[in-house]
Amino acid sequence: MRRWGTAAAALALTAAGLAATAGTADAASGPTGRASSAAACSTAWGSGTKSATGASAAPLKNIRTGRSACYDRMVFDLGGASGKAGYHVGYVDQFQQDGSGEVIPVKGGAILEVFVSASSYDPQTGKQTYAGKAGKPLPGVHLAGYETFRDAEFGASFEGQTQVGLGTRAKLPFRVFQSGNRLVVDVAHHR
């Protein structure tokens, strides 16, 4: 009798252990029931300021965003640019409009300030090529449902560069790279 009691207790402990393990697996799953991809996503980008020299001969045409399993993405379309675009991207305590210094509120736990060496107007004609307005949300950019992005405000297009304030959930790792005539800013979902 005593052996059956010990065996039953051992089975109960094993079952409890399996249930706890299953609970941990469920906790790692997202709302869709898929396993979290955080473990598979690289966060080696760091959250320090990133910059590169270069100038875009073409003006800014569009700013758009997208989502992936590991990061949220902002893309700056630089028209027919063929050379290396300059940029300066880093976290700031407050977003101040380039030129005037006026503070522009940006929602989120952190603010990523993005400068791109491309104006939002054609320098030859003065005609606007991107419809951003100082202190206003980026036109056509809707961030509902994004994991990392919270807000995107147009700062200015001043002296050949365009400034954007990107509100993020927290100060998270990010990377910046150029692909053809696009400058890409990816902000990780996790550290």
Side-chain angles (χ1 to χ4, degrees), residues 116-177:
V116 179
S117 295
S119 61
S120 66
Y121 55 88
D122 185 323
Q124 305 279 335
T125 65
K127 182 181 175 186
Q128 189 174 24
T129 58
Y130 176 72
K133 303 251 187 269
K136 301 291 183 191
L138 298 181
V141 171
H142 306 286
L143 301 177
Y146 279 67
E147 188 164 338
T148 297
F149 292 170
R150 297 293 183 258
D151 193 12
E153 300 288 329
F154 191 81
S157 193
F158 183 70
E159 295 185 349
Q161 66 182 6
T162 297
Q163 175 197 34
V164 169
L166 179 59
T168 62
R169 180 173 43 81
K171 189 175 180 180
L172 296 163
F174 69 94
R175 68 180 174 182
V176 183
F177 64 93

Side-chain angles (χ1 to χ4, degrees), residues 31-55:
T32 61
R34 292 178 292 161
S36 173
S37 61
C41 297
S42 171
T43 58
W45 306 332
S47 58
T49 299
K50 294 160 181 63
S51 59
T53 56

Side-chain angles (χ1 to χ4, degrees), residues 52-59 76-87 116-118 177-184:
T53 56
S56 174
F76 295 80
D77 292 320
L78 304 177
S82 57
K84 186 173 180 181
Y87 60 84
V116 179
S117 295
F177 64 93
Q178 187 171 349
S179 177
N181 62 346
R182 294 175 202 86
L183 187 73
V184 178

